[in-house]
Amino acid sequence: MSAFKPANNDKITLDDPELLSLFPKSASEVKPPSLNGNVYLLDGQILKFTDKTDAVVSVITPQDGTRFRISEFARCNEEIAMKALNAAHKAWSNGRGEWPSMSMQERAKRMSAFLEDFKKIKDQLAELLMWDICKSKKDATDEVERTIDYIQDTITHALDLDKSESQFTIQSGVAAQVKRLPIGVVLASGPFNYPLNECYTTFIPALITGNTVILRIPRNGATPHFPTLPLFQKHFPPGSINILSGSGREIMTPLMKDGRIDFLAFIGQSTSANAIIKNHPAVHRLHTILQMDAKDCAVVLKDADIDHAATQVVSGGFSFNGQRCTAIKMVWVHESIANQFAQKVVEKVDQLKMGMPWEEGVKITPICQSEKPGELKEYIEDALKKGAHILNKNGSRFSKTLVGPTVIGPITPDMQLWEKEQFGPILPITTFSSLTSSPGPLEWINQSHFGLQSAVFGYDAKEVAQVLDTLAYQVGRVNLNAPDKRGPDVLPFGGKKDSGMGVTNAKEAVKGFTIESIVATSADDKRNLDVVKSLVGVSQVVTSAEGL
């Protein structure tokens, strides 16, 4: 077959009857969860907010048109945001508040007790993920388990770091302790696609290291947070963790303008990050960890294992509907194998099971953003208008919020899919004759504004090195004969360019949310060493005189 031969006459099918039949026939066939969501945690109290709330309606809509209201989303306002800031600032108290003053061992004990209670509600959290953002049952369960592992890893690394930095060393006559201490008040905001796991990466390391936190939860994916509020209330001092729902503009803008936010931990779009940061009156002292947009690519070399590469690209491109920052969003394949590779890809894509998230083996589920199918349709229309073709028979089919996985190509520089992040089940493919051709993969990689991850498939050392060495300076992680992904969480996770600043795996994040502070004295005077030793048990900073 031609690499870019249309499989369905480039037809876009709306209200596809086959896709429609995958939704429940009526409301009586399913039982969605329901819980109270017009609540927030502020200064140790779980409070109700009813002034302005939005219904949380699942995008899983039966064929009879029933809408499932599973919760509410309180749109907390500036007044509440400022109360949360006052509470967090008081709990911080210049590092002298109850939470930052605790020993690392005591904070770890509190976090461990929280984790044990968190485990008890993991099934409820997975069900809420399934209905709120339409993550498959398996993926939802995996996210909760991964969050549990992340919390445990954070506890372990925080204790290890504290132990390793409690010692004194003597160099050039100076006895010194270099210890990482919390920074202050952290404003955290996570994404909808991993509303537990990635949200927790923005604040769990901050919390255990002694910072105080204001967490703004995402609009989509908010419901799994509501059952955790009593757990945070139970295990952490008032003001140390405050959890609000609402729009970023209504909550984050006034908080940043106030100037008392010391650290921003944010996962979302780079344009949003820029808008948030510029509100701070002293940007030069604002600490940040940012994870933002991505346009990860896969480069398939002429000696690649075609079947293996196709399998990995399809997995990387369509896992959770392609709504992952690490999803493969552009494929470059050498022209000599383009026909075979494209055929393998479309075969595998058309075998992906579409359906509801609770179905066994389902891979493509409804998209949780009701406006997203229309945006994806526009990307496809734009590409078709400019010469691309839909390559698979299930491509470009729509019904309600279910979108058939679509392979499309060849993609050219004048198409939106060339540089825009589609964040959905569309896999753009194009070819190259030489790695250094223009346009070509290396040029595209260097010119891209994004730099999270990318992959290279092949075995010729010279060509692999040419791609790998280019990517290594442009992205945070290069995957060799494997798809882009976040895990394992022991590895640093971060991006370059517009894709990120800082890393959020547990080991690095406990360092990232702290800053080095030094206690030093002349080692030539025994009185100095004696007073350091006497500080142990009195000072919260000098907790060991080991090394003197």
Side-chain angles (χ1 to χ4, degrees):
M1 70 173 254
S2 168
F4 300 109
K5 180 180 178 180
N8 63 356
N9 296 318
D10 291 335
K11 181 182 179 183
I12 296 176
T13 305
L14 305 179
D15 301 321
D16 185 281
E18 184 179 347
L19 266 60
L20 179 62
S21 70
L22 300 176
F23 287 87
K25 289 183 179 179
S26 65
S28 62
E29 291 187 5
V30 290
K31 186 178 180 181
S34 178
L35 78 163
N36 178 22
N38 59 345
V39 290
Y40 59 98
L41 177 65
L42 193 156
D43 203 15
Q45 298 295 314
I46 297 175
L47 305 171
K48 289 187 176 181
F49 183 81
T50 57
D51 290 359
K52 191 176 182 181
T53 61
D54 295 336
V56 177
V57 179
S58 176
V59 294
I60 300 172
T61 55
Q63 298 172 42
D64 64 9
T66 303
R67 304 295 302 276
F68 293 122
R69 178 177 177 139
I70 59 175
S71 191
E72 306 84 33
F73 181 81
R75 296 179 63 91
C76 294
N77 54 27
E78 180 177 345
E79 179 184 359
I80 291 174
M82 297 312 296
K83 287 181 179 179
L85 179 55
N86 290 335
H89 196 257
K90 180 180 178 182
W92 169 245
S93 291
N94 296 313
R96 305 301 295 160
E98 179 185 0
W99 182 248
S101 295
M102 280 185 192
S103 68
M104 180 60 77
Q105 290 73 21
E106 179 59 29
R107 290 198 297 266
K109 182 179 178 181
R110 298 281 190 103
M111 188 69 77
S112 295
F114 165 83
L115 179 58
E116 290 307 307
D117 281 347
F118 186 92
K119 292 176 182 177
K120 295 173 185 177
I121 60 171
K122 64 180 183 179
D123 291 341
Q124 180 188 12
L125 300 181
E127 183 186 31
L128 290 168
L129 280 170
M130 190 174 67
W131 279 90
D132 193 333
I133 62 170
C134 295
K135 189 163 281 192
S136 73
K137 184 175 182 179
K138 178 185 181 302
D139 287 349
T141 301
D142 287 348
E143 179 173 346
V144 178
E145 292 291 349
R146 191 172 174 181
T147 304
I148 290 170
D149 291 342
Y150 185 87
I151 297 171
Q152 184 58 64
D153 287 346
T154 302
I155 295 169
T156 300
H157 288 303
L159 287 170
D160 288 347
L161 180 66
D162 182 70
K163 183 178 180 180
S164 69
E165 293 188 338
S166 297
Q167 303 176 5
F168 275 78
T169 59
I170 299 177
Q171 297 285 340
S172 303
V174 176
Q177 172 195 261
V178 181
K179 192 180 185 73
R180 303 194 76 91
L181 296 178
I183 293 170
V185 179
V186 176
L187 175 59
S189 180
F192 78 87
N193 57 332
Y194 286 88
L196 278 181
N197 183 245
E198 291 206 348
C199 268
Y200 275 47
T201 68
T202 67
F203 77 91
I204 288 294
L207 191 58
I208 198 171
T209 49
N211 299 281
T212 60
V213 174
I214 303 169
L215 172 66
R216 179 240 170 201
I217 60 177
R219 169 64 181 82
N220 295 103
T223 58
H225 290 279
F226 301 142
T228 70
L229 298 190
L231 310 188
F232 285 107
Q233 180 188 40
K234 174 182 176 183
H235 294 290
F236 300 98
S240 58
I241 173 73
N242 306 274
I243 302 176
L244 311 180
S245 56
S247 76
R249 185 175 291 106
E250 294 172 341
I251 291 178
M252 301 182 77
T253 298
L255 290 175
M256 293 295 284
K257 285 183 176 180
D258 178 275
R260 287 181 290 167
I261 295 296
D262 300 300
F263 201 120
L264 174 67
F266 176 82
I267 302 177
Q269 295 182 329
S270 56
T271 52
S272 298
N274 287 338
I276 293 166
I277 290 170
K278 72 179 183 181
N279 286 305
H280 200 285
V283 174
H284 60 278
R285 68 171 179 80
L286 178 69
H287 300 258
T288 59
I289 288 180
L290 309 172
Q291 289 180 26
M292 300 170 288
D293 330 61
K295 184 75 172 178
D296 295 9
C297 78
V299 180
V300 185
L301 302 173
K302 58 189 174 186
D303 73 328
D305 180 326
I306 293 174
D307 186 71
H308 174 76
T311 298
Q312 300 304 311
V313 165
V314 170
S315 172
F318 292 102
S319 236
F320 188 41
N321 303 325
Q323 294 189 290
R324 299 160 39 247
C325 56
T326 54
I328 292 175
K329 303 183 179 84
M330 183 70 159
V331 181
W332 288 88
V333 58
H334 191 272
E335 62 184 13
S336 66
I337 62 168
N339 287 357
Q340 297 164 279
F341 178 77
Q343 184 174 6
K344 286 287 186 182
V345 167
V346 299
E347 287 173 359
K348 294 175 187 296
V349 171
D350 281 339
Q351 291 172 3
L352 295 175
K353 181 178 179 179
M354 294 182 281
M356 297 300 104
W358 53 80
E359 295 176 19
E360 189 72 26
V362 70
K363 299 297 183 183
I364 302 296
T365 59
I367 292 175
C368 74
Q369 299 164 293
S370 57
E371 73 283 356
K372 189 68 178 183
E375 179 185 326
L376 297 174
K377 174 175 165 287
E378 290 178 4
Y379 287 143
I380 294 171
E381 289 174 335
D382 173 75
L384 293 178
K385 187 190 308 179
K386 296 169 182 174
H389 299 290
I390 299 167
L391 307 183
N392 63 313
K393 66 179 182 180
N394 283 334
S396 198
R397 299 165 64 197
F398 296 81
S399 180
K400 296 181 180 287
T401 51
L402 196 56
V403 179
T406 302
V407 185
I408 191 166
I411 302 302
T412 53
D414 57 336
M415 299 174 188
Q416 294 183 56
L417 286 171
W418 181 265
E419 62 180 6
K420 286 199 172 183
E421 181 184 21
Q422 61 270 30
F423 217 72
I426 299 176
L427 186 67
I429 298 182
T430 196
T431 63
F432 66 94
S433 58
S434 165
L435 288 172
T436 57
S437 59
S438 180
L442 300 190
E443 179 184 83
W444 185 91
I445 290 163
N446 285 325
Q447 291 181 353
S448 175
H449 295 291
F450 307 116
L452 185 59
Q453 295 190 20
S454 281
V456 55
F457 293 87
Y459 301 93
D460 179 88
K462 185 176 180 180
E463 286 210 323
V464 169
Q466 194 173 1
V467 179
L468 187 151
D469 291 353
T470 298
L471 284 170
Y473 288 94
Q474 301 297 321
V475 303
R477 170 170 164 170
V478 184
N479 298 284
L480 176 58
N481 292 312
D484 298 359
K485 61 180 180 179
R486 181 185 175 107
D489 284 333
V490 295
L491 297 177
F493 182 73
K496 299 176 181 178
K497 300 192 277 191
D498 283 351
S499 288
M501 291 180 63
V503 294
T504 57
N505 70 306
K507 184 176 182 180
E508 299 303 323
V510 293
K511 296 179 182 178
F513 284 102
T514 57
I515 192 167
E516 291 176 326
S517 295
I518 302 168
V519 177
T521 188
S522 171
D524 297 332
D525 189 331
K526 183 177 180 298
R527 292 174 300 172
N528 294 337
L529 303 184
D530 288 342
V531 74
V532 168
K533 294 174 183 177
S534 69
L535 289 172
V536 178
V538 180
S539 169
Q540 73 182 69
V541 175
V542 178
T543 57
S544 170
E546 186 177 345
L548 297 181

